Amino acid sequence: GAVVSQHPSRVICKSGTSVKIECRSLDFQATTMFWYRQFPKQSLMLMATSNEGSKATYEQGVEKDKFLINHASLTLSTLTVTSAHPEDSSFYICSCGGPGFWQFFGPGTRLTVL
Amino acid sequence: DAKTTQPTSMDCAEGRAANLPCNHSTISGNEYVYWYRQIHSQGPQYIIHGLKNNETNEMASLIITEDRKSSTLILPHATLRDTAVYYCIVRVPMNYGGSQGNLIFGKGTKLSVKP
């Protein structure tokens, strides 16, 4: 299957700082990338859908000014959590939709905000 | 999107077949059945998908009932590494009729494979 990477895998930051998470599709061009987050013992929740070269579409309840998404190329999307607070601590996962009928997920980024 | 219902948890003995059921009684004609699994603290992993015919790959088999209202994922010889949460998702595939293809995850079935 296709390979999707995320960086960093784990980050700890102080409250009020911003954190950038990168998602890369390593062996195919992803016109669409998805960002999910997962709180402990819960399922994945879709945050936003980003298409290369256009603005992301956010799910209801997700603040677009807080979670900035940039999908500047077919292989890279970034999620920036601005002014992070402890309640933003979560497992953030990206997925890439390439040609075909399935998505490939990254390994996830564990964010801890102190 | 059609909703799915899965048991919360299941146990399976190592080396035995694990049969994970999924109900999707409101599935529409153009929706596929996808199965993913998530091992603890990792991203979800694609397993298999199907429309109406049974499917098999190196990981698993997918049995879809004739009326498509339910399906079963079969892991033929479960190992300890198959312990994970298994998600059954019903969705129109990406780019079909303008679909963005995003996957909606339910709570899944927590499969515990025991020695």
Side-chain angles (χ1 to χ4, degrees):
Chain A
V3 179
V4 178
S5 71
Q6 280 185 242
H7 178 78
S9 59
R10 188 179 293 268
V11 58
I12 300 173
C13 69
K14 292 182 179 179
S15 184
T17 60
S18 294
V19 175
K20 180 185 282 189
I21 302 170
E22 291 186 349
C23 175
R24 293 182 185 272
S25 61
L26 300 182
D27 54 0
F28 72 101
Q29 294 183 328
T31 53
T32 303
M33 290 186 175
F34 305 94
W35 286 95
Y36 296 80
R37 66 180 166 185
Q38 185 175 34
F39 293 108
K41 298 191 187 302
Q42 295 187 23
S43 190
L44 284 79
M45 296 295 294
L46 180 67
M47 298 177 66
T49 302
S50 75
N51 291 297
E52 185 262 341
S54 63
K55 289 184 178 180
T57 302
Y58 290 81
E59 295 299 301
Q60 193 171 11
V62 178
E63 300 174 56
K64 62 179 182 180
D65 294 330
K66 181 169 181 62
F67 298 98
L68 302 179
I69 292 173
N70 185 290
H71 190 166
S73 77
L74 290 172
T75 58
L76 174 65
S77 176
T78 61
L79 168 68
T80 301
V81 183
T82 63
S83 187
H85 288 96
E87 58 265 31
D88 298 323
S89 297
S90 189
F91 192 48
Y92 291 85
I93 307 168
C94 72
S95 73
C96 300
F101 289 80
W102 54 88
Q103 294 177 29
F104 297 100
F105 287 81
T109 297
R110 176 79 57 193
L111 170 63
T112 303
V113 184
L114 302 177
Chain B
D1 299 325
K3 208 172 170 184
T4 62
T5 305
Q6 298 177 254
T8 303
S9 63
M10 291 181 65
D11 289 343
C12 176
E14 188 179 18
R16 305 296 293 268
N19 298 301
L20 292 93
C22 179
N23 285 323
H24 31 80
S25 58
T26 59
I27 191 171
S28 62
N30 57 2
E31 288 181 313
Y32 283 66
V33 180
Y34 296 81
W35 282 86
Y36 283 77
R37 72 179 181 184
Q38 186 179 25
I39 295 169
H40 183 63
S41 292
Q42 297 183 24
Q45 177 189 21
Y46 165 82
I47 302 174
I48 200 167
H49 75 279
L51 181 62
K52 55 183 179 181
N53 296 324
N54 297 338
E55 302 287 345
T56 295
N57 62 21
E58 64 279 4
M59 289 184 68
S61 295
L62 174 61
I63 308 298
I64 303 174
T65 58
E66 195 169 337
D67 63 7
R68 302 211 319 127
K69 293 186 176 182
S70 65
S71 60
T72 301
L73 178 74
I74 301 173
L75 307 178
H77 305 286
T79 71
L80 299 179
R81 287 175 295 186
D82 292 322
T83 292
V85 178
Y86 287 77
Y87 296 99
C88 168
I89 302 169
V90 176
R91 193 67 170 93
V92 173
M94 180 173 293
N95 297 323
Y96 183 98
S99 165
Q100 289 291 315
N102 54 292
L103 299 171
I104 308 298
F105 287 81
K107 296 187 184 302
T109 296
K110 183 170 183 176
L111 176 68
S112 298
V113 181
K114 300 184 184 299

